[in-house]
């Protein structure tokens, strides 16, 4: 059992991990290899204290050196669900699972708008995880909506089980050979029909037994059931605690301003709050 699981390896997640480790708590840092695509693509960062006019890539390298010095490795995993289990949380990435007493959400801002009917039909024909739910549709036709380059492996996995029609949502997404591909359409609505699912687009409609929406981002309220949000923003207090006990959030996820210095400060506070939460739980709730 881990003390703290941190989801997101951007500036907020890195700061949270550093401060959790400084409190001698066990942790896992789940995210991408790069600190942040947004950070690393920044040519110059003019307002980060102590580093005038540093480039984003250089600052990202400095963050990684700090993690390395503390023996913290970034686990390159995409978390698809966080389940409350009483006095701890279970996090899943496909068939992998971690258990932690506390969770820090540092996933960055989620700007996409779900397709109409997507959220309502989750678990009833719509899924976000091919590894989790693909076998439910073995030998049956499915749709795969590919929003990211990372979708290729999930599409390949589905194609080994089912007849897949891939709706390509972003240029550059690679689709395995032999998979039927549709490009240049805009999804409008998901609907149920005859125990299956229909995707209505601005062109024709596509019917299948199930649909997999493959994005690298997920709305926080979907990732963590019961989490209080206002739009795409997670509601937190001054300790960056959410409405769920033991769950904290930091960085762009909590709203504007979208600044690296702000994300680092919030991440540090969220990490310290998570460590304090675990310590209080060990002490019978006393701080």
């Amino acid at each position: 059992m881990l003390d703290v699981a941190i989801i997101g390896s951007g500036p907020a997640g890195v700061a949270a991990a550093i401060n959790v480790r400084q409190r001698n708590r066990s942790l896992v840092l789940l995210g991408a290899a790069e600190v942040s695509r947004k950070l690393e693509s920044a040519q110059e960062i003019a307002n980060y204290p102590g580093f005038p006019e540093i480039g984003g890539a250089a600052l990202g390298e400095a963050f990684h050196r700090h993690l390395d010095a503390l023996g913290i490795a970034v686990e390159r995993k995409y978390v698809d669900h966080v389940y409350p289990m009483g006095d701890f949380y279970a996090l899943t990435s496909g068939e992998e699972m971690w258990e932690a007493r506390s969770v820090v959400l540092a996933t960055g801002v989620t700007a996409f708008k779900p397709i109409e009917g997507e959220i309502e039909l989750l678990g009833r024909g719509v899924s976000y995880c091919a590894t989790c739910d693909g076998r439910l549709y073995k030998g049956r036709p499915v749709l795969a909506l590919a929003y990211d380059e990372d979708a290729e492996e999930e599409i390949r996995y589905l194609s080994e089980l089912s007849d897949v029609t891939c709706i390509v949502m972003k240029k550059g997404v690679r689709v395995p050979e032999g998979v039927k591909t549709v490009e240049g359409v805009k999804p409008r609505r998901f609907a149920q029909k005859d125990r299956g699912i229909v995707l209505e687009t601005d062109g024709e409609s596509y019917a299948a037994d199930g649909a997999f929406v493959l994005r690298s981002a997920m709305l926080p309220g979907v990732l963590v059931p019961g989490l209080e949000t206002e739009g795409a923003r997670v509601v937190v207090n001054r300790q960056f605690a959410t409405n769920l006990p033991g769950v904290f959030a930091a960085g762009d996820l909590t709203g504007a301003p979208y600044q690296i210095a702000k994300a680092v400060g919030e991440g540090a506070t969220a990490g310290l709050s998570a460590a304090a939460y675990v310590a209080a739980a060990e002490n019978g709730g006393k701080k």
Side-chain angles (χ1 to χ4, degrees):
M1 175 77 70
L2 295 162
D3 290 323
V4 183
I6 301 163
I7 307 174
S9 55
V14 168
I18 289 169
N19 283 275
V20 169
R21 177 56 52 87
Q22 293 288 0
R23 290 296 187 270
N24 296 314
R25 291 294 172 181
S26 61
L27 66 100
V28 63
L29 176 58
L30 302 160
E34 67 271 13
V35 169
S36 163
R37 291 178 183 175
K38 184 172 71 174
L39 170 65
E40 298 203 356
S41 65
Q43 184 174 352
E44 181 180 293
I45 299 165
N47 64 343
Y48 194 82
F51 294 89
E53 301 178 355
I54 191 171
L59 186 57
E61 290 172 2
F63 287 169
H64 270 298
R65 287 196 298 272
H66 200 154
L67 291 176
D68 291 342
L70 294 174
I72 301 171
V74 179
E75 295 282 345
R76 298 186 62 181
K77 302 294 180 183
Y78 168 69
V79 178
D80 45 60
H81 291 97
V82 178
Y83 298 104
M85 305 294 289
D87 57 354
F88 70 95
Y89 291 86
L91 296 77
T92 61
S93 175
E95 295 180 346
E96 294 187 69
M97 185 176 73
W98 299 264
E99 295 179 348
R101 295 180 177 87
S102 181
V103 176
V104 175
L105 303 174
T107 56
V109 65
T110 305
F112 73 88
K113 183 179 180 180
I115 300 166
E116 182 182 343
E118 175 184 328
I119 304 301
E120 293 80 1
L121 293 176
L122 275 177
R124 297 190 294 126
V126 175
S127 173
Y128 289 146
C129 180
T131 307
C132 309
D133 299 328
R135 292 194 177 277
L136 298 175
Y137 298 93
K138 187 174 182 179
R140 301 158 62 188
V142 298
L143 303 174
L145 281 71
Y147 285 82
D148 300 292
E149 290 87 346
D150 296 340
E152 182 181 0
E153 284 305 311
E154 296 230 61
I155 298 167
R156 188 184 309 280
Y157 173 74
L158 286 172
S159 69
E160 294 170 355
L161 299 170
S162 309
D163 179 16
V164 180
T165 297
C166 180
I167 314 294
V168 177
M169 300 299 300
K170 180 182 178 182
K171 289 184 178 180
V173 173
R174 297 172 59 185
V175 179
E177 187 175 349
V179 174
K180 181 182 177 182
T181 302
V182 177
E183 299 184 73
V185 300
K186 183 176 181 180
R188 297 292 189 187
R189 177 175 175 264
F190 280 115
Q192 282 187 319
K193 183 178 180 181
D194 299 331
R195 297 186 180 181
I197 204 87
V198 173
L199 174 65
E200 300 173 3
T201 76
D202 56 357
E204 61 183 287
S205 296
Y206 300 87
D209 284 2
F212 291 83
V213 181
L214 305 177
R215 298 190 191 94
S216 59
M218 186 181 295
L219 291 171
V222 175
L223 177 65
V224 189
L227 188 68
E228 183 182 357
T229 61
E230 291 181 352
R233 183 182 77 86
V234 175
V235 177
V236 295
N237 64 15
R238 288 285 296 170
Q239 286 71 48
F240 296 94
T242 71
N243 63 304
L244 300 177
V247 178
F248 303 84
D252 288 357
L253 189 64
T254 66
Y258 303 121
Q259 298 287 327
I260 295 168
K262 177 255 196 188
V264 168
E266 290 190 0
T269 304
L272 293 172
S273 295
Y277 173 86
V278 174
E282 292 176 343
N283 197 31
K286 297 178 181 179
K287 296 185 179 180

